[in-house]
Amino acid sequence: MQDISEYLVKNKERFINELIQLLKIPSVSADPAYSQDVINASEAVKTSLLEAGCDTAEICETNGYPIVYGEKIINPELPTILVYGHYDVQPADPIDLWNSPPFEPVIKTTDIHPEGAIFARGACDDKGQMYMHVKALEFMVKTNQLPCNVKFMIEGEEEVGSENLGTFVAENKEKLANDIILISDTGMIGNNVPSITTGLRGLSYVEVEVTGANRDLHSGLYGGAVANPINVLTKMIAALHDENNHITIPGFYDKVEELSTEERAEMAKAPFSLENYKKALNIKAVYGEKGYTTNERNSIRPTLDVNGIWGGYIGAGAKTVIASKAYAKISMRLVPHQDWKEITELFKTHFESLAPEGVTVKVTPHHGGQGYVTPIDNNAYKAASKAYETTFGKTPIPQRSGGSIPIVSLFEKELKSKTILMGFGLDSDAIHSPNEHFGVWNYLKGIETIPYFYQYFAELSE
Ligand code: BES
Ligand code: MN
Ligand code: MN
């Protein structure tokens, strides 16, 4: 692979500006108010694929937002890489916590990104990381060195559970046939500590509703005599963890794989400073399941967290009222072998059993998905490792991530192919939070590293 430096010098500004244009489109899949923008983003992605050198690119309609598919097949005998990414983004709120508007990208330097970072919703998750692949393709095509076939499948519903992607994949197995799936939608340990993501957690997301009396009640006239759904809900939630922060749902841990002492020792070798971790979050202490380190708690252990809770009066001043209903949204991050549908059932049964007489409980499952562990003894990992060595000058560390991309396990099931996760974001890039950003250095490093993956993967597959 010819060195990209010269090409970057010439095209760097344009690469950044093109990404900025894409980031200006508020493609929030969760909020119907942005539906036209989500569709506009899919069009923009299609155009970019054609401009980068795909032979064909199309918008594939689904029951939800479209999937953009593009390909460049240079020789059917050669291996094929399937690039997956998403063009939809998380909602921007709370909007007033942004230092600049979420859909008006600006470049600012930070301590971690002295060369500047692009601040915008989707900068890192996933428009910036997805677009690295488009520009890497452009470089390989324009310089005549694409070493294998490539297919792109970029969806618009990742942030809402990829509901329609499963059907698309199942119905298009031939079209999507590949030798490896390549995704940049995760992170790495640090700009000086490249890492390859080798695990993703599964997810079960549920909403709960606790109902008391048939109407809101005066908290003086009825208080103390009738169940208060908010009191009850918080008590039920508190009962989901014990004093060691273990989850109390019966059967919850049955399928959790306990790592061996050696595996845990291997994991502990990854550079990590608890002091810096606490400092970055402005907390005095970390918190979590007893017996596990911070890095274990957020990767190889399952969790249960309330993501939102509401009910009752939250307006100005005081209103003395016992609301009839209380609600919470709860996510459970799962580890490989835990089945998300089974866990959802276990949760439902247990949560309902926690309710005292005097309230009714409704548990509504949202979406979920299986976890995934990637092999590190295959050609894809070797090729990725060599690619990072080439551009970072360091061997990357395998690292399990705490986040979820549920569709990855489905790819394996339907397409029978493995996934390699080459993420270039940092945990501090604030994905899903206000002031999300993506380092300009990281963006360009990704564009530089990806073509080497193609080259080494093609060589190792010979
Ligand atoms: N890109 C993230 C997942 C991620 C981020 C994995 C960083 C590893 C490291 C993805 O867009 C995401 O946000 N996934 C959701 C799950 C989905 C079903 C909504 C998540 O992890 O909350
Ligand atoms: Mn993502
Ligand atoms: Mn996301």
Side-chain angles (χ1 to χ4, degrees), residues 48-56 71-72 134 137-138 141-142:
S48 74
L49 285 174
L50 288 171
E51 283 173 0
C54 277
D55 297 327
T56 59
E71 63 176 33
K72 185 161 183 73
V134 181
L137 174 71
E138 177 195 305
V141 172
K142 299 282 146 79

Side-chain angles (χ1 to χ4, degrees), residues 86 125-126 158-159 185:
H86 60 97
D125 183 11
D126 181 40
E158 197 278 340
E159 299 291 8
D185 193 20

Side-chain angles (χ1 to χ4, degrees), residues 86 88-90 124-126 158-160 185 404-405 431-432 436:
H86 60 97
D88 65 321
V89 302
Q90 284 274 320
C124 179
D125 183 11
D126 181 40
E158 197 278 340
E159 299 291 8
V160 289
D185 193 20
S404 308
I405 310 176
I431 64 171
H432 293 206
E436 175 179 353

Side-chain angles (χ1 to χ4, degrees), residues 151-404:
K151 297 176 176 176
F152 278 78
M153 174 171 64
I154 314 296
E155 72 153 319
E157 296 187 310
E158 197 278 340
E159 299 291 8
V160 289
S162 303
E163 243 178 80
N164 296 291
L165 187 64
T167 317
F168 179 78
V169 171
E171 287 173 358
N172 291 281
K173 288 186 190 167
E174 196 70 25
K175 184 189 189 105
L176 300 171
N178 66 80
D179 296 280
I180 190 72
I181 297 168
L182 173 59
I183 304 180
S184 294
D185 193 20
T186 57
M188 55 180 187
I189 297 175
N191 287 358
N192 296 322
V193 191
S195 59
I196 297 175
T197 307
T198 51
L200 294 164
R201 285 197 285 193
L203 179 71
S204 164
Y205 201 104
V206 297
E207 186 164 329
V208 299
E209 180 191 288
V210 175
T211 307
N214 57 358
R215 61 178 169 86
D216 289 6
L217 303 171
H218 187 287
S219 66
L221 295 181
Y222 290 92
V226 175
N228 177 334
I230 300 177
N231 291 9
V232 168
L233 173 63
T234 52
K235 229 172 154 172
M236 290 167 71
I237 288 170
L240 294 172
H241 289 93
D242 69 12
E243 66 284 2
N244 293 323
N245 278 316
H246 287 295
I247 294 155
T248 55
I249 301 169
F252 187 84
Y253 290 101
D254 283 2
K255 296 195 175 157
V256 171
E257 168 198 30
E258 294 288 340
L259 265 61
S260 65
T261 318
E262 293 78 50
E263 284 172 297
R264 290 177 72 182
E266 197 53 42
M267 260 189 87
K269 284 189 195 153
F272 175 73
S273 153
L274 191 59
E275 277 323 300
N276 291 348
Y277 187 83
K278 290 192 284 189
K279 215 164 108 197
L281 301 175
N282 195 21
I283 49 173
K284 285 212 185 74
V286 290
Y287 185 91
E289 189 183 5
K290 196 174 167 190
Y292 295 92
T293 65
T294 295
N295 275 337
E296 290 171 341
R297 286 170 179 169
N298 68 24
S299 64
I300 59 161
R301 298 298 296 167
T303 61
L304 183 152
D305 278 292
V306 177
N307 292 234
I309 181 163
W310 70 103
Y313 181 70
I314 52 164
K319 179 187 179 196
T320 47
V321 67
I322 296 174
S324 151
K325 283 178 187 288
Y327 307 83
K329 290 183 193 278
I330 296 174
S331 69
M332 286 164 277
R333 295 284 168 174
L334 311 175
V335 295
H337 303 317
Q338 280 183 300
D339 180 76
W340 78 273
K341 290 193 172 144
E342 196 178 314
I343 292 291
T344 307
E345 273 312 304
L346 291 177
F347 173 88
K348 188 168 159 33
T349 308
H350 182 62
F351 200 72
E352 284 166 356
S353 81
L354 291 175
E357 281 183 42
V359 300
T360 53
V361 172
K362 195 163 110 193
V363 176
T364 312
H366 273 261
H367 51 70
Q370 299 299 107
Y372 187 74
V373 187
T374 70
I376 58 170
D377 55 1
N378 63 358
N379 285 345
Y381 190 90
K382 285 178 196 150
S385 184
K386 252 181 110 178
Y388 284 85
E389 269 163 38
T390 307
T391 58
F392 285 76
K394 279 182 187 156
T395 306
I397 299 172
Q399 190 209 25
R400 288 225 212 161
S401 171
S404 308

